[in-house]
Amino acid sequence: MTSSRPYLIRALYDWIIDNGLTPYLLVDASREGVVAPTDFADDSGRLVLNISPRAVRGLDLGQEDICFNARFGGTPWDVNLPTAAVIAIYARENGQGMMFTDDDQPEPPNGGQEDSSDDDTPARSAKRPNLRVVK
């Protein structure tokens, strides 16, 4: 399956805006592919970005990347963030939102390893589902 992260970012962005609050992104600026003013990042490489409609232009919350134009210290920047670099999205006013972990990223089929079984039987999970009839 694909990552749920871009879908959740878009949904939470809409929810925050619909409630009249300011959406902020917490981003790992050290991740590969991040194009942003890293001078504004903290000592741990985290960058907080205001992505409200008043603060950015051309916001695109895409499947693979988040892109927009904003000013930092009066200088315009074309920001490009891989969705995998987003650590959290939250409302500035009350802190409500969601944090993400690296576990949110999809794993390659077979965990990135070749399938060593020669038979055609499906793999069994360690714990089988338990269904019962409820009347």
Side-chain angles (χ1 to χ4, degrees), residues 1-7 31 63-64 83-84 101-112:
M1 289 185 64
T2 61
S3 173
S4 61
R5 188 178 301 208
Y7 299 97
R31 294 286 290 253
Q63 213 40 33
E64 300 292 325
T83 54
T101 64
D102 286 338
D103 297 341
D104 298 324
Q105 295 302 310
E107 188 173 312
N110 296 329

Side-chain angles (χ1 to χ4, degrees), residues 62-76:
Q63 213 40 33
E64 300 292 325
D65 296 302
I66 296 171
C67 304
F68 57 89
N69 182 279
R71 290 189 171 271
F72 296 88
T75 305

Side-chain angles (χ1 to χ4, degrees), residues 7-61:
Y7 299 97
L8 294 170
I9 291 170
R10 285 191 294 271
L12 287 164
Y13 174 84
D14 288 341
W15 174 66
I16 292 167
I17 292 295
D18 288 350
N19 283 282
L21 303 175
T22 309
Y24 274 22
L25 288 179
L26 178 62
V27 177
D28 180 356
S30 65
R31 294 286 290 253
E32 184 176 332
V34 172
V35 178
T38 55
D39 295 347
F40 293 91
D42 66 11
D43 293 337
S44 63
R46 293 181 173 188
L47 185 61
V48 177
L49 301 169
N50 176 350
I51 59 168
S52 70
R54 292 172 37 136
V56 301
R57 297 174 86 178
L59 179 63
D60 179 20
L61 299 172

